[in-house]
Amino acid sequence: MLAVEDLDVAYGRAQVLFGVSVRARPGALVCVMGRNGVGKTTLLKAIMGVLPARAGRVLFDGEDVTRLPTHERVRRGLGYVPQGHETFPQLTVRENLFVTPWATRAAVDEALDLFPALRPLLRRRAGFLSGGQQQQLAIARALVCRPKLLLLDEPTEGIQPSIIREIEQAVHRLHTEAGLAILLVEQYLDLALRLADQYVILDAGEVVRAGDRDDLADPTVHHLLAV
């Protein structure tokens, strides 16, 4: 489904990713891990076309999408939830969900079934939601496009524990019940152990380890993730 091959990405003259290769098969949940500042968010932005690739390729469903603009990648089935539970604060919850041209009433209802706490808030402006509610809305908004692969950038960051559990359950349902492929950037090793099929660890912009979830119990993994 997704194949990132030898990807180099830079911010101006400062190169951030060096020959990164990542794969996600249909229906898999791959967790991208690593310390702060190692390039995890940059990787997701490059996959979505928010940042251009200096070298390498991004293949999705067998098509080279490396040079396609972001909206064309969304059209082909890539969904993206950026870090920081971003919403349109002046729009209502309902308006946020219908802001994309691909949104349908059926797709919005499905997203609200996953996050029922948003239903009584449909007329509230997103800027007045709590951080956890905004994160749920950001994920729901990505889902109304019915992506084949969902990219989630640290969806539990800065969220209260009760909402973290709700988000974890929603991600688990999307993965196991809906069969949605997910590329998840996550700092919490325990969460990765519960959710992931495979993992990738980045360090200094390079893939330093990758494997199946069972490998995450290895003490060397803890060392690579330690602050």
Side-chain angles (χ1 to χ4, degrees):
M1 169 171 279
L2 176 73
V4 177
E5 299 179 347
D6 300 320
L7 197 67
D8 289 357
V9 180
Y11 292 89
R13 295 183 179 180
Q15 187 166 341
V16 178
L17 297 183
F18 301 83
V20 169
S21 295
V22 176
R23 291 182 178 270
R25 68 176 189 270
L29 195 156
V30 180
C31 192
V32 180
M33 309 180 75
R35 302 180 181 95
N36 289 331
V38 299
K40 304 184 298 296
T41 293
T42 299
L43 172 62
L44 295 196
K45 287 182 175 181
I47 292 171
M48 286 303 303
V50 177
L51 290 173
R54 175 176 284 181
R57 300 193 302 169
V58 178
L59 304 175
F60 185 63
D61 274 353
E63 179 185 4
D64 189 342
V65 300
T66 313
R67 305 303 171 193
L68 290 183
T70 299
H71 70 273
E72 288 295 340
R73 303 188 198 204
V74 173
R75 189 186 297 275
R76 282 159 173 75
L78 283 171
Y80 177 43
V81 181
Q83 187 179 28
H85 30 83
E86 293 185 7
T87 60
F88 297 102
Q90 296 304 315
L91 300 182
T92 66
V93 170
R94 185 182 188 280
E95 289 168 340
N96 266 271
L97 293 172
F98 279 100
V99 73
T100 170
W102 299 288
T104 65
R105 186 175 299 276
V108 169
D109 282 340
E110 290 173 9
L112 290 173
D113 286 342
L114 196 66
F115 297 109
L118 294 177
R119 286 192 182 276
L121 305 173
L122 287 173
R123 296 184 179 180
R124 184 174 299 181
R125 288 187 181 182
F128 291 101
L129 301 178
S130 69
Q133 291 166 340
Q134 289 185 34
Q135 185 62 283
Q136 292 179 49
L137 176 57
I139 297 173
R141 189 180 60 199
L143 292 174
V144 300
C145 296
R146 290 182 168 162
K148 300 176 185 176
L149 172 65
L150 182 64
L151 280 60
L152 291 172
D153 193 352
E154 296 202 41
T156 62
E157 183 187 32
I159 304 298
Q160 64 190 65
S162 62
I163 303 298
I164 288 176
R165 185 60 179 165
E166 290 181 19
I167 291 173
E168 178 184 344
Q169 290 172 345
V171 171
H172 179 73
R173 285 179 58 193
L174 287 169
H175 175 219
T176 60
E177 298 177 18
L180 181 63
I182 299 172
L183 192 62
L184 170 67
V185 168
E186 184 52 64
Q187 292 276 32
Y188 294 113
L189 181 58
D190 289 345
L191 190 64
L193 281 166
R194 292 194 295 269
L195 290 176
D197 298 315
Q198 286 91 39
Y199 73 93
V200 173
I201 297 178
L202 296 180
D203 190 30
E206 298 180 312
V207 174
V208 293
R209 183 156 178 158
D212 295 328
R213 174 178 56 192
D214 292 344
D215 296 341
L216 288 172
D218 190 320
T220 59
V221 171
H222 294 252
H223 176 71
L224 289 169
L225 299 176
V227 176

